[in-house]
Amino acid sequence: MRKLVDRPRRLRRSPALRNLVRETKPSPHDFVLPLFVSEKIDQRRPIASMPGVFQLSMQGIVDEAQRARDVGLQAILLFGIPEKKDEQASGAYAENGVVQKALRAIKRKCPEIVAITDVCLCEYMSHGHCGVTRIDDDHFHVLNDETVDLLVKTALSHAQAGADLVAPSDMMDGRIGAIREALDADGFDQTGILSYAAKFASVFYGPFRDAAESPPQFGDRRSYQMDCANADEALREVALDIEEGADIVMVKPALPYIDILWRVRERFGKPTAAYHVSGEYAMIKAAAEKGIVDERAAVLEIMTSLKRAGADIIITYWARELAEWTRN
Ligand code: PBG
């Protein structure tokens, strides 16, 4: 009898055959579109380092949310740029803050879109750090517990304004448990928490800080964001957030941390998100503009890789385009 031999090439002969046996098939439902709303503008404003990304006005963000739904996306992630910043980040938890207003307006027009809000203080603090700071002997500290109190107020005000998921991105210790408790106590037991659980201190957030107008005025974020050298520590951080009540856990940035993504998905089996961040976006955009890579092919390869590595949800500035590119 003839010996049977494995011939993988048979399955690669045509596009239709390759499609049939493809293991990883990104679809519009995998992607979340980040949007920036600013209280200071009435016309959308381009972000120089991120071609195709804009700060939006209040009307603009409602239109964008509708457009996102119309192209087949089901979720957006909101960031706010307030009129005024101060040392208590009061704009972050004001009842009529920029995100709270945007949420109500979006939910009035498109109630079905999943509205996720970034819960952080850096955009609202005059010094641009993610928490309350104190400086002694030329050394600054971010005060963990004082910051958590403000994050809780912020998350609660987002839930009250209609957020489906709140996404704390600050990396303070104990904030997930504190937010979960406050949401439950206020009747928001159905509001979920997407935790930025393994958030690394990264050079790739640079363009975002232009977009959100939140560069730190002194120091850096390394005392509260993770060291890129540490994988086991990332797993411990994720475990803590899950124990405290996170419904979805996120790894950020995405591609340089794809090993962490894989381990988190394998170890915990929780819905897992990857944030393909501003600098990752800007690099491909810049290369594509120079004709070095084909943008669509590069983006599809990256997103397929992230999904293959375990991402159930991918937050990306290409979400709108990806909804089209992955529809069939
Ligand atoms: C807020 C926050 C940041 C990002 C998301 N939420 C910036 C930071 O931590 O410095 C970055 C997102 C991106 O780069 O696309 N803390």
Side-chain angles (χ1 to χ4, degrees), residues 57-67 102 105-106 109-110:
S57 66
M58 202 49 78
Q59 183 56 48
I61 198 156
V62 177
D63 296 343
E64 267 311 312
Q66 277 180 295
R67 226 179 112 202
I106 290 167
K109 275 280 169 67
C110 302

Side-chain angles (χ1 to χ4, degrees), residues 5-199:
V5 284
D6 207 5
R7 285 200 173 244
R9 265 184 302 167
R10 282 182 199 134
L11 295 177
R12 293 181 199 141
R13 283 168 47 123
S14 74
L17 252 175
R18 287 195 294 273
N19 260 329
L20 197 66
V21 297
R22 182 164 291 149
E23 297 169 33
T24 308
K25 297 175 183 172
S27 91
H29 288 171
D30 298 327
F31 303 107
V32 175
L33 178 66
L35 295 172
F36 300 93
V37 55
S38 169
E39 244 172 353
K40 299 190 287 187
I41 55 177
D42 344 282
Q43 295 281 319
R44 67 178 196 176
R45 192 154 92 201
I47 293 146
S49 50
M50 301 175 72
V53 180
F54 298 85
Q55 288 181 347
L56 303 166
S57 66
M58 202 49 78
Q59 183 56 48
I61 198 156
V62 177
D63 296 343
E64 267 311 312
Q66 277 180 295
R67 226 179 112 202
R69 177 204 53 197
D70 293 344
V71 298
L73 294 174
Q74 49 189 7
I76 54 175
L77 170 62
L78 297 181
F79 293 94
I81 299 127
E83 178 88 58
K84 287 199 201 72
K85 300 175 189 248
D86 57 34
E87 303 252 303
Q88 288 300 313
S90 46
Y93 42 88
E95 195 187 330
N96 256 328
V98 56
V99 166
Q100 292 80 354
K101 276 192 287 191
L103 271 171
R104 287 191 210 98
I106 290 167
K107 282 290 177 178
R108 223 173 289 131
K109 275 280 169 67
C110 302
E112 67 280 23
I113 197 118
V114 174
I116 311 172
T117 55
D118 188 83
V119 174
C120 196
L121 305 178
C122 58
E123 296 103 308
Y124 304 88
M125 285 287 193
S126 37
H127 48 59
H129 278 288
C130 300
V132 181
T133 55
R134 195 179 58 212
I135 300 178
D136 35 57
D137 304 333
D138 276 358
H139 204 74
F140 89 98
H141 313 267
V142 173
L143 305 176
N144 191 87
D145 297 1
E146 285 82 343
T147 302
V148 169
D149 289 345
L150 300 185
L151 292 166
V152 166
K153 285 168 78 166
T154 304
L156 202 53
S157 73
H158 291 175
Q160 287 160 349
D164 297 285
L165 289 168
V166 292
S169 68
D170 52 282
M171 292 299 279
M172 297 302 130
D173 296 331
R175 88 271 202 229
I176 300 298
I179 290 173
R180 184 68 272 158
E181 209 169 286
L183 288 173
D184 290 350
D186 217 52
F188 292 102
D189 55 306
Q190 295 302 310
T191 306
I193 301 180
L194 188 171
S195 161
Y196 285 68
K199 177 173 176 178

Side-chain angles (χ1 to χ4, degrees), residues 26-36 50 52-53 68 73 75-77 79 116 196 250-252 254 273-282 284-285 295 298-300 302-304 306 311 313-323 325-326:
S27 91
H29 288 171
D30 298 327
F31 303 107
V32 175
L33 178 66
L35 295 172
F36 300 93
M50 301 175 72
V53 180
L73 294 174
I76 54 175
L77 170 62
F79 293 94
I116 311 172
Y196 285 68
M250 177 144 75
V251 176
K252 173 183 169 204
Y275 197 144
H276 189 259
V277 301
S278 57
E280 299 181 85
Y281 174 87
I284 302 285
K285 276 283 181 190
E295 179 174 339
V299 172
L300 282 168
I302 290 169
M303 299 304 154
T304 305
L306 294 175
I313 299 163
I314 301 171
I315 300 175
T316 164
Y317 301 96
W318 272 295
R320 222 185 290 100
E321 291 82 351
L322 279 160
W325 298 340
T326 61

